[in-house]
Amino acid sequence: MTLDEIQLDALTEVINIGVGRAANSLSEITGSRIDLAVPNMYLCGTSDFSEIAKTLNLDVGTTIQQGFEGELSGRALLGFPRNNAFELACLVGDIQPGERELDEELCGVLEEIGNIVLNAVLGSIANMFDCEMSYTLPTFCTKRTFNTIICRCDDDVQSSDSIVLVANTSLRVASRDISGSLIVLFETGD
């Protein structure tokens, strides 16, 4: 699948609308202004994803995944470096950081953050293509990187026939810099 510049700009705008909606929701929850940069968009096959992941330094430590089915099927992923995920979860959950690691409570907060962001983005995509999609519940994972999730053939999504859309963005919460990446994996196989 190839997109011309106008199509990629339109897709960037659709993703940006979804990310903007998510930022507004997170701002309301935290009581802090949250700014998200317009995402840099990359479209590739799963076989090319490793190179883009290296170039963009997408080897994140925490990932929230959400599957979707319908006229468009695949998986959406939101990832953060581990320390950014911890800081964001504490802020959104109004939890004092202390000495805790990403415990069950913070993982639940991150799943809800993923739910907000991923549903906003997937909803924007569904609206753009005027199609219905159903979603799985978001799940939190610390053991696998984007690269292993995208490129493994034993996952639910047939990676050899899939298209990967990478929307790399930065998230700024008040005076904190929290960076994250959004990836949408579209299943194109039978």
Side-chain angles (χ1 to χ4, degrees):
M1 174 184 206
T2 58
L3 298 176
D4 63 30
E5 189 175 326
I6 292 172
Q7 291 169 320
L8 192 57
D9 285 346
L11 192 52
T12 300
E13 185 56 32
V14 168
I15 300 293
N16 196 40
I17 289 168
V19 168
R21 288 180 182 155
N24 286 336
S25 295
L26 291 174
S27 290
E28 287 178 21
I29 292 168
T30 62
S32 299
R33 180 169 171 81
I34 296 181
D35 295 312
L36 287 163
V38 174
N40 294 316
M41 303 291 287
Y42 305 89
L43 189 66
C44 65
T46 51
S47 59
D48 301 321
F49 179 75
S50 292
E51 274 308 307
I52 289 177
K54 285 179 195 172
T55 303
L56 298 176
N57 194 24
L58 294 181
D59 192 22
V60 297
T62 58
T63 307
I64 301 97
Q65 303 179 60
Q66 186 167 28
F68 57 95
E69 293 182 335
E71 294 174 54
L72 296 172
S73 297
R75 186 179 314 170
L77 304 108
L78 179 65
F80 298 98
R82 188 172 176 82
N83 60 336
N84 284 190
F86 181 77
E87 187 175 351
L88 182 60
C90 288
L91 178 69
V92 171
D94 196 23
I95 301 166
Q96 294 302 315
E99 297 292 322
R100 298 191 316 181
E101 286 292 312
L102 283 169
D103 61 15
E104 190 174 323
E105 181 180 14
L106 291 174
C107 291
V109 171
L110 285 170
E111 285 178 342
E112 188 54 36
I113 292 167
N115 192 35
I116 291 166
V117 174
L118 297 173
N119 278 315
V121 170
L122 292 173
S124 293
I125 292 170
N127 288 340
M128 174 189 178
F129 290 105
D130 193 27
C131 64
E132 300 227 357
M133 291 193 295
S134 59
Y135 311 109
T136 63
L137 292 174
T139 57
F140 178 79
C141 180
T142 60
K143 304 290 187 213
R144 296 166 64 200
T145 64
F146 276 157
N147 213 28
T148 58
I149 292 168
I150 298 297
C151 297
R152 286 179 51 128
C153 293
D154 61 345
D155 275 335
D156 297 336
V157 177
Q158 293 291 341
S159 62
S160 61
D161 289 3
S162 297
I163 296 169
V164 181
L165 172 66
V166 178
N168 201 37
T169 189
S170 63
L171 172 72
R172 186 167 179 83
V173 182
S175 62
R176 303 171 186 156
D177 283 323
I178 298 174
S179 61
S181 294
L182 170 72
I183 295 179
V184 181
L185 176 67
F186 292 101
E187 181 181 324
T188 57
D190 296 332

